[in-house]
Amino acid sequence: MSARKSAELLPEGIARSNRKRLAAEQGMRALADVERAGHRGPQEHGAVLKKVREAKEAADEALRTALPPRR
């Protein structure tokens, strides 16, 4: 057990634990930011994309009917 404790007190061990701690803090902050921003789930995102696609298709069709036929 003493070998493990001395390894944790080495500069590499301290640096490793600091990196892990910082990564965990950044992850928690990122999750909080996403929740605060009102992140949409994949189903809501898909529904929005579907509405956009349908609107584009309707606009394309309206443009096709408004233009004279191609020869």
Side-chain angles (χ1 to χ4, degrees), residues 60-70:
D60 289 346
E61 184 61 31
L63 184 62
R64 259 187 251 119
T65 58
L67 293 176
R70 288 182 125 180

Side-chain angles (χ1 to χ4, degrees), residues 7 13 15 21-23 26-27 32 36 43 45-46 50 56 61 69:
R21 180 183 52 79
L22 287 173
Q26 289 173 346
R36 198 174 323 111
Q43 293 167 342
H45 186 68
K50 182 179 179 182
K56 181 189 178 307
E61 184 61 31

Side-chain angles (χ1 to χ4, degrees), residues 10-32:
L10 291 175
E12 295 87 11
I14 293 171
R16 186 179 314 116
S17 65
N18 282 339
R19 284 193 304 268
K20 285 183 179 181
R21 180 183 52 79
L22 287 173
E25 289 174 1
Q26 289 173 346
M28 289 188 308
R29 256 187 257 120
L31 287 175

